[in-house]
Amino acid sequence: MDLLNTLVEKGLRRELPTREEALAVLATSDDELLDVVAAAGKVRRQWFGRRVKLNYLVNLKSGLCPEDCSYCSQRLGSKAEILKYTWLKPDEASQAAAAGVAGGAKRVCLVASGRGPTDRDVERVGKTIEAIKEQNEGVEVCACLGLLSDGQAERLREAGADAYNHNLNTSEATYEGITKTHTYADRVDTVQKAHAAGLSACSGLIAGMGETDEDLVDVVYALRELDSDSVPVNFLIPFEGTPLAKEWNLTPQRCLRILAMVRFVCPDVEVRIAGGREVHLRSMQPLALNIANSIFLGDYLTSEGQAGQADLDMIADAGFEVEGAGTTTLPKHRADALAAAGATGGCGSKASAGCGSEASAEGGGCGAHAEEGGGCGPCGGHAAPAAPASSPARTADEARTDLVAVRRRGAGTDLAPNA
Ligand code: SF4
């Protein structure tokens, strides 16, 4: 198929495909799906081998957000019965982070719901970053706190942050239909502030909110333009109690095509399967590892993912390896660019600038929280309960509400986290 050969060649050269080529990937048929995955896999292996990076979300502050992101379970007016709590103390956050690191995660993503941090919040998170770095040697830390004001990115970097996550979520054309309390331009500005401060910029999208193929291509081209080091791809979890609760329009095949399009348009960046992985990809998750080189281990911000051990088993069974703390995630040209930008690059030492460079978590308050029902933090959702023998065969586009589980363990609770 000439399209795929062309896209592979361009991906190996980091050459931008045309919009028509990107749209054509989304329009491929189910019969061509394995060819699409195989082609994207060649580009993935060129830049990231067979490594899978594990990232771990810590929800520092849950719910109670004044913003109205319509996909988010933490939004103003949300009726979703999620955990609601204010700031975790540095030692509580560090304890939660340690569970993820023990489970194999090399990056901890600190997320707080809200429009954006006050200077006092930045100071508080700075202390949390220092505590986590002190207790987890070599760990990378990403912050995701919402819209940044001048100087805040620099202070987070001075406190040891390696990356900052703030998703664009969807195309500029449709942004106002998703959120009215802040703008697409606000988001772009925050990603640029993170970049300018020498933090590794992490910015991604949410698919499944009723957008068109053109919207998806628009937002991914915008992420390439912003030169994000990592792109979390969230698949909307239609959370009961949010305006998008009825928006079930994804299939595992559609999710794989979207991931492939992102890989071809952003060949050398960390493509992360973020929120909705378990709910929408289901038994096709291992196939998606051929395209994406990064996932979240454990639970999401307000919803539960599959067991951490199940993720590790899946990675091994699919013939991939968990990326070690000492391995540089980003390709050399990106790692060098980050080091040149003065980023501490994850491991706090300029020398290893490359190892830590991309961002995190997608998800969570601050609009980065794409995962929660697309909101804040991928709502993983439990493994599907076995369907009773008598139930009719499911269809790929069926609303799998049975897989959406509100988080009831880990940060903000007395129960051990999933890691
Ligand atoms: S995505 Fe972030 S800013 Fe938007 S409602 Fe959720 S927590 Fe608030």
Side-chain angles (χ1 to χ4, degrees):
M1 200 179 159
D2 290 351
L3 167 72
L4 297 178
N5 295 336
T6 305
L7 286 166
V8 170
E9 279 158 27
K10 286 185 174 184
L12 302 184
R13 297 194 301 265
R14 295 190 280 135
E15 185 184 328
L16 187 63
T18 64
R19 287 176 57 82
E20 292 65 33
E21 288 164 342
L23 285 166
V25 172
L26 296 176
T28 49
S29 70
D30 287 356
D31 292 348
E32 297 157 312
L33 186 62
L34 290 184
D35 301 326
V36 170
V37 172
K42 290 180 183 154
V43 178
R44 181 250 200 262
R45 291 192 299 278
Q46 159 86 7
W47 302 110
F48 298 97
R50 301 190 71 79
R51 306 190 310 274
V52 177
K53 179 175 185 167
L54 300 180
N55 309 274
Y56 193 71
L57 287 162
V58 175
N59 193 350
L60 295 176
K61 181 162 87 69
S62 187
L64 316 167
C65 182
E67 300 294 295
D68 70 344
C69 308
S70 49
Y71 51 78
C72 182
S73 60
Q74 305 184 77
R75 69 188 296 274
L76 183 67
S78 167
K79 304 264 181 314
E81 292 167 3
I82 58 164
L83 293 172
K84 296 184 177 75
Y85 53 84
T86 189
W87 293 95
L88 296 185
K89 297 191 182 58
D91 62 333
E92 291 173 319
S94 187
Q95 214 183 335
V101 175
K106 67 181 288 188
R107 175 169 288 188
V108 170
C109 312
L110 300 176
V111 188
S113 61
R115 177 182 176 80
T118 63
D119 287 343
R120 192 153 159 259
D121 295 336
V122 168
E123 206 185 313
R124 174 204 322 262
V125 174
K127 291 198 174 69
T128 297
I129 295 170
E130 284 154 12
I132 290 173
K133 290 249 169 188
E134 211 173 284
Q135 289 156 25
N136 304 280
E137 204 211 330
V139 73
E140 299 168 12
V141 175
C142 178
C144 169
L145 310 173
L147 302 173
L148 291 175
S149 313
D150 290 346
Q152 291 184 326
E154 286 75 5
R155 285 204 292 285
L156 286 167
R157 194 183 127 238
E158 280 147 26
D162 304 290
Y164 194 83
N165 166 266
H166 200 61
N167 295 333
L168 293 186
N169 286 334
T170 191
S171 67
E172 184 165 19
T174 55
Y175 196 81
E176 214 189 317
I178 297 293
T179 302
K180 297 206 174 354
T181 47
H182 58 266
T183 67
Y184 180 88
D186 290 333
R187 288 182 172 275
V188 171
D189 175 65
T190 285
V191 179
Q192 289 168 334
K193 279 193 169 83
H195 248 315
L199 290 165
S200 175
C202 172
S203 188
L205 66 148
I206 311 171
M209 300 196 289
E211 70 285 333
T212 64
D213 287 3
E214 285 73 16
D215 292 320
L216 284 174
V217 168
D218 279 352
V219 67
V220 177
Y221 273 68
L223 293 167
R224 168 129 180 185
E225 180 70 26
L226 273 176
D227 199 23
S228 198
D229 283 321
S230 54
V231 174
V233 180
N234 297 281
F235 300 114
L236 176 76
I237 306 283
F239 242 89
E240 284 307 325
T242 66
L244 297 183
K246 300 294 173 242
E247 199 65 62
W248 285 89
N249 58 48
L250 291 169
T251 64
Q253 295 80 0
R254 170 89 173 149
C255 295
L256 288 168
R257 283 189 279 269
I258 292 168
L259 287 167
M261 185 271 286
V262 174
R263 177 54 74 196
F264 291 130
V265 174
C266 306
D268 62 332
V269 311
E270 176 197 338
V271 175
R272 184 178 312 150
I273 317 169
R277 167 168 57 92
E278 295 92 335
V279 171
H280 291 294
L281 278 163
R282 305 190 285 273
S283 57
M284 302 283 254
Q285 294 178 66
L287 211 50
L289 293 178
N290 286 279
I291 305 171
N293 64 295
S294 177
I295 63 171
F296 284 114
L297 180 76
D299 292 338
Y300 303 98
L301 297 172
T302 62
S303 55
E304 297 188 354
Q306 64 189 16
Q309 190 56 48
D311 284 337
L312 299 177
D313 295 346
M314 172 181 74
I315 291 167
D317 291 349
F320 294 92
E321 62 192 35
V322 171
E323 185 175 280
T327 307
T328 302
T329 298
L330 287 179
K332 189 169 180 335
H333 59 274
R334 272 190 176 276
D336 292 350
L338 207 51
T344 56
C347 306
S349 59
K350 291 209 178 323
S352 60
C355 73
S357 48
E358 353 51 44
S360 78
E362 115 42 286
C366 62
H369 323 107
E371 314 86 5
E372 296 324 318
C376 296
C379 103
H382 285 289
S390 59
S391 67
R394 292 184 194 278
T395 57
D397 57 359
E398 196 171 314
R400 295 301 303 272
T401 50
D402 59 302
L403 296 178
V404 179
V406 174
R407 184 170 68 82
R408 292 282 178 254
R409 58 191 174 195
T413 79
D414 301 331
L415 298 178
N418 168 24

